[in-house]
Amino acid sequence: MAWNEPGNNGNKNNDPWKNKGGRDQGPPDLDKVFRKYSDKLGGMFGGNGGGNKGSSNLNGMVIGFVLVIALVVWALSGIYTIKEAERGIILRFGQFHSIADPGLRWKMTFIDKVIPVEIEAVRSLSASGLMLTEDENVVSVEFVVQYRVTDPRAYLFSVTNADHSLQQALDSALRYVVGHSSMNDILTKGREEVRQKTWDELTKIIDPYNLGLLLTDVNFKDARPPSEVKDAFDDAIAAQEDEVRFLREAEAYEREIEPQARGQVTRMTQEAEGYKERITLEAEGEVARFNKLLPEYQMAKDVTRQRLYIETMEGVLNNTSKVLVDVKGGNNIMYLPLDKIMQNSQGGKITLPKVSELQNLRQKMGNSRGNDSQVNSPSDRFATDRFGNGR
């Protein structure tokens, strides 16, 4: 039952407002209420609270101990570590304050915020898609760019998202370069040029934004024609690869043959020079020999002519294994089988001509002696010769 309901016998002790006016239902005195709670709070923090002075001192010690514990926990919570490959971006009240180096660090919790940024790891992004070439063909191209962070502050605050910005820049640069290149260059021989142009164009795009990134490599990963014409392009690429292979083989053959040809030319030149020198010396020797022989011939033409004949025949007969002896004035030709004699001599046995054969040869030579021409006779065969005016 409520304290002020009828039948409660006017129990004023239950009146929360301590209304002593009987049935007076007016508002309480706010000044007294505020004063009462102020006294209680003052006692809790060491003030004089009247009769509760001892209790207030105890409460103050508890509050102080709690505050010390909270302060220690707050201080310990600010300890953090920055790895060797990282740099820490310190934000104080949300604004950039400084960059923390690797090691054990401390920050003011709830005031400072630390964002670690990896600066040594190499990151990668890729861009791919169907793109239109300069000659109005469609190719599927895929590029991969590798980069790392060089400026952590610029990486976090120059743009909203540096990685996403680099992705968009890569796609833009790739489409620009592909749009200014022919399909044949992209698929075959111009891939390196397309890669280098894409790198240069990407660098030109991201430089004004100061993303805090460094491009380490740009890779032309793949380029394919549309599936409808893929077989034809595969044949074209195979033919170009065969062309390159044949060129390499031809160059290798050239490098192999050229030294051999040069060596052969050198050898032939040296042989020709040696032959020239030999023939010249032989000719000079013949001239000197003739110059020495001429005075002797003029003094004794017959003897000299016969000696020359004998020497000449000796040189001729040294190179033949068959000798035919013709006797002037006779109808028979004598044959000396020197080849058979030499064959028999190879076994260590030499077969000499028979005695009858030698006698027959002597007889024929004696009969023909009288028919020889006499010196300065009408039948002299050497009356007119090429050495002078006869004997």
Side-chain angles (χ1 to χ4, degrees):
M1 181 180 295
W3 65 273
N4 56 356
E5 287 185 359
N8 199 18
N9 298 322
N11 189 0
K12 296 181 176 59
N13 293 328
N14 296 328
D15 187 359
W17 306 108
K18 305 300 181 182
N19 189 2
K20 298 179 180 179
R23 295 190 175 272
D24 186 4
Q25 301 295 326
D29 189 353
L30 295 180
D31 292 337
K32 293 180 179 180
V33 174
F34 287 129
R35 191 178 301 112
K36 179 180 178 181
Y37 286 106
S38 296
D39 292 341
K40 290 183 178 182
L41 291 175
M44 291 177 62
F45 290 98
N48 294 326
N52 297 327
K53 183 177 181 180
S55 177
S56 298
N57 291 334
L58 181 60
N59 291 335
M61 292 176 62
V62 172
I63 294 300
F65 179 75
V66 172
L67 291 177
V68 170
I69 295 299
L71 181 62
V72 171
V73 173
W74 176 79
L76 294 176
S77 65
I79 299 175
Y80 65 97
T81 302
I82 298 296
K83 297 179 181 179
E84 183 66 26
E86 296 178 343
R87 295 295 183 271
I89 302 299
I90 300 177
L91 304 180
R92 181 161 294 173
F93 297 110
Q95 185 179 6
F96 174 78
H97 179 262
S98 61
I99 297 178
D101 293 329
L104 188 63
R105 303 291 173 182
W106 181 82
K107 64 180 178 65
M108 292 184 290
T109 307
F110 308 121
I111 298 176
D112 293 344
K113 181 181 179 181
V114 179
I115 304 175
V117 179
E118 185 80 25
I119 64 171
E120 294 186 2
V122 178
R123 313 181 185 193
S124 62
L125 286 175
S126 63
S128 61
L130 295 174
M131 302 179 187
L132 187 65
T133 62
E134 184 180 24
D135 49 1
E136 298 182 355
N137 289 312
V138 178
V139 293
S140 176
V141 181
E142 183 177 0
F143 257 72
V144 176
V145 59
Q146 295 179 343
Y147 65 97
R148 61 185 181 87
V149 179
T150 57
D151 188 350
R153 179 180 180 182
Y155 174 73
L156 291 177
F157 304 120
S158 293
V159 293
T160 303
N161 189 332
D163 296 327
H164 182 69
S165 298
L166 180 62
Q167 176 77 47
Q168 298 299 321
L170 174 60
D171 188 73
S172 176
L174 181 57
R175 291 184 181 276
Y176 174 81
V177 174
V178 171
H180 289 78
S181 303
S182 64
M183 186 175 187
N184 187 48
D185 291 341
I186 297 173
L187 295 178
T188 56
K189 61 183 180 180
R191 295 168 65 93
E192 178 61 25
E193 183 179 358
V194 172
R195 186 190 76 86
Q196 188 62 42
K197 287 183 177 180
T198 304
W199 193 337
D200 296 339
E201 186 66 23
L202 178 59
T203 303
K204 188 187 301 183
I205 292 175
I206 65 175
D207 279 347
Y209 294 98
N210 190 24
L211 300 179
L213 302 176
L214 175 64
L215 301 180
T216 59
D217 195 11
V218 175
N219 295 322
F220 197 158
K221 190 173 181 181
D222 190 18
R224 301 184 303 274
S227 58
E228 292 78 6
V229 295
K230 185 177 182 301
D231 295 337
F233 271 92
D234 289 342
D235 293 339
I237 293 174
Q240 292 179 354
E241 291 176 351
D242 291 340
E243 178 185 4
V244 173
R245 179 171 58 84
F246 291 150
L247 288 175
R248 298 293 181 268
E249 292 177 354
E251 292 174 355
Y253 178 75
E254 177 186 3
R255 288 192 293 267
E256 179 184 359
I257 294 299
E258 184 177 0
Q260 297 179 0
R262 292 183 183 277
Q264 187 176 3
V265 169
T266 303
R267 181 176 57 82
M268 294 176 66
T269 303
Q270 293 175 352
E271 290 178 354
E273 292 177 353
Y275 176 76
K276 172 185 175 182
E277 185 177 359
R278 180 173 61 83
I279 294 299
T280 302
L281 294 176
E282 289 179 355
E284 292 176 353
E286 292 293 332
V287 171
R289 177 173 174 271
F290 179 79
N291 291 333
K292 291 181 179 180
L293 187 62
L294 181 60
E296 298 179 1
Y297 177 77
Q298 291 175 350
M299 289 185 297
K301 295 182 179 181
D302 188 21
V303 175
T304 305
R305 183 185 293 110
Q306 188 173 2
R307 191 186 72 180
L308 292 175
Y309 175 78
I310 293 173
E311 291 178 354
T312 303
M313 293 304 296
E314 180 181 4
V316 172
L317 295 177
N318 283 335
N319 298 324
T320 182
S321 60
K322 297 180 180 180
V323 178
L324 298 177
V325 180
D326 185 13
V327 180
K328 186 176 181 180
N331 296 326
N332 296 326
I333 296 178
M334 183 178 179
Y335 167 66
L336 294 179
L338 298 180
D339 52 345
K340 295 183 178 180
I341 295 174
M342 294 177 63
Q343 289 178 359
N344 295 331
S345 65
Q346 289 179 358
K349 181 179 180 181
I350 300 177
T351 303
L352 298 177
K354 297 180 179 180
V355 175
S356 58
E357 294 178 355
L358 293 176
Q359 291 178 354
N360 187 19
L361 177 61
R362 289 174 181 175
Q363 183 179 3
K364 290 180 179 180
M365 293 293 292
N367 295 332
S368 63
R369 185 178 301 176
N371 297 327
D372 289 342
S373 61
Q374 300 296 325
V375 178
N376 295 326
S377 65
S379 61
D380 188 2
R381 292 176 298 170
F382 303 102
T384 57
D385 56 9
R386 62 187 182 90
F387 293 104
N389 297 324
R391 296 181 189 272

